[in-house]
Amino acid sequence: MTSSECRTDIQGYQVFPLRICYQFMINYCYIVLDHFSGEAAIVDPAWDLEALQGKLQEMGARPTTILLTHSHYDHVNLVAPLVREYDPKVILSRQERDYYKFSCDNLFAAEHLDQIRLGETLINCLLTPGHTTGSMCYLLSHSLFTGDTVFVEGCGICTTEGGSASGMFESIQRIKRTVEPHVSVFPGHCYGRAPGCSLASVMEHNIYFHLESKRQFVDFRMRKGQTNSFAFK
């Protein structure tokens, strides 16, 4: 596990990216700390419980919320022990819960445009299907947590159960319409560029943001011969 430098925005919260490795998988999960209350949200807790708990202790944070972008195992496998230890509420989209029958203690099903408060920090829920049926991004004043919907360099695969390249196209269009260019993007995986670059940079360099035709997007996303989908760094 490695920890990137924390990023503080003008609204009084910090984002702590944690790069966590398990076998061939490399995930980024995140801790969001609200300065006014000391409450923390954990985004997609994965693999290394000791590392997460150590960071929370170092920060002096109280984890009151877990934000799940989707229910794939590499994004949810630490939910149960964290709920047992800290009793946080767990947020997942209703569509994701219902389609994949995901369950855990303290689970709250969120709808598109629901708002969650972490102390004084406001978190907006954006339903972004494509990678899974009920993938959800979480938008703060200066931060967007995208899970496996949008990466800095691309977008998530759409070939697993419940995935849809057409849905992914619509979700990326929604992000383009909804999210301000200055907002920093924090994905669940990276392919070389560190998390936290601006959406403006993603829109400039990510090819999926340049495909305006749904048919062109679907054909490109589903093209044959893709070999680097899990070449995380």
Side-chain angles (χ1 to χ4, degrees):
M1 187 277 294
T2 57
S3 176
S4 300
E5 288 297 318
C6 61
R7 178 185 181 277
T8 305
D9 83 6
I10 60 173
Q11 298 299 315
Y13 70 87
Q14 287 177 293
V15 176
F16 295 82
L18 301 175
R19 179 180 180 272
I20 300 179
C21 307
Y22 177 77
Q23 296 181 357
F24 72 94
M25 295 296 295
I26 302 175
N27 285 65
Y28 274 89
C29 64
Y30 302 92
I31 299 173
V32 182
L33 176 64
D34 175 73
H35 285 303
F36 296 101
S37 65
E39 295 180 11
I42 304 171
V43 184
D44 288 352
W47 305 130
D48 194 336
L49 180 62
E50 183 177 345
L52 270 172
Q53 290 181 316
K55 192 64 179 178
L56 289 166
Q57 185 175 7
E58 174 189 323
M59 296 159 58
R62 293 183 294 109
T64 60
T65 306
I66 293 174
L67 303 172
L68 301 179
T69 61
H70 62 295
S71 60
H72 284 166
Y73 184 70
D74 63 313
H75 293 255
V76 305
N77 62 76
L78 290 185
V79 169
L82 288 168
V83 169
R84 286 195 297 269
E85 181 70 21
Y86 303 106
D87 198 35
K89 61 185 176 184
V90 181
I91 309 299
L92 181 73
S93 79
R94 178 184 58 78
Q95 290 84 349
E96 189 79 358
R97 181 201 65 182
D98 293 350
Y99 186 89
Y100 300 101
K101 309 304 180 186
F102 180 85
S103 65
C104 68
D105 291 340
N106 298 354
L107 182 62
F108 291 81
E111 302 285 355
H112 178 55
L113 299 183
D114 277 356
Q115 293 186 326
I116 302 161
R117 279 211 170 270
L118 180 74
E120 296 298 318
T121 299
L122 187 64
I123 302 170
N124 296 280
C125 301
L126 300 180
L127 188 65
T128 52
H131 181 62
T132 64
T133 293
S135 289
M136 183 166 274
C137 294
Y138 297 98
L139 176 63
L140 287 66
S141 58
H142 287 62
S143 309
L144 180 69
F145 299 96
T146 58
D148 288 1
T149 297
V150 169
F151 305 129
V152 174
E153 306 89 346
C155 68
I157 61 173
C158 302
T159 53
T160 57
E161 181 185 356
S164 166
S166 177
M168 182 68 79
F169 172 82
E170 296 295 345
S171 293
I172 287 179
Q173 300 310 305
R174 171 174 285 171
I175 289 170
K176 289 166 65 175
R177 293 193 305 268
T178 304
V179 182
E180 296 292 333
H182 71 271
V183 168
S184 297
V185 176
F186 295 101
H189 305 282
C190 291
Y191 293 87
R193 292 185 65 190
C197 69
S198 69
L199 180 64
S201 178
V202 173
M203 291 179 65
E204 180 180 358
H205 298 290
N206 186 328
I207 190 172
Y208 291 99
F209 282 77
H210 293 268
L211 300 175
E212 299 292 343
S213 158
K214 181 182 289 190
R215 172 47 53 196
Q216 184 184 26
F217 182 100
V218 170
D219 289 346
F220 185 74
R221 174 64 277 189
M222 303 301 288
R223 69 195 185 279
K224 296 185 182 299
Q226 300 181 64
T227 59
N228 297 318
S229 295
F230 297 98
F232 306 135
K233 297 181 179 179

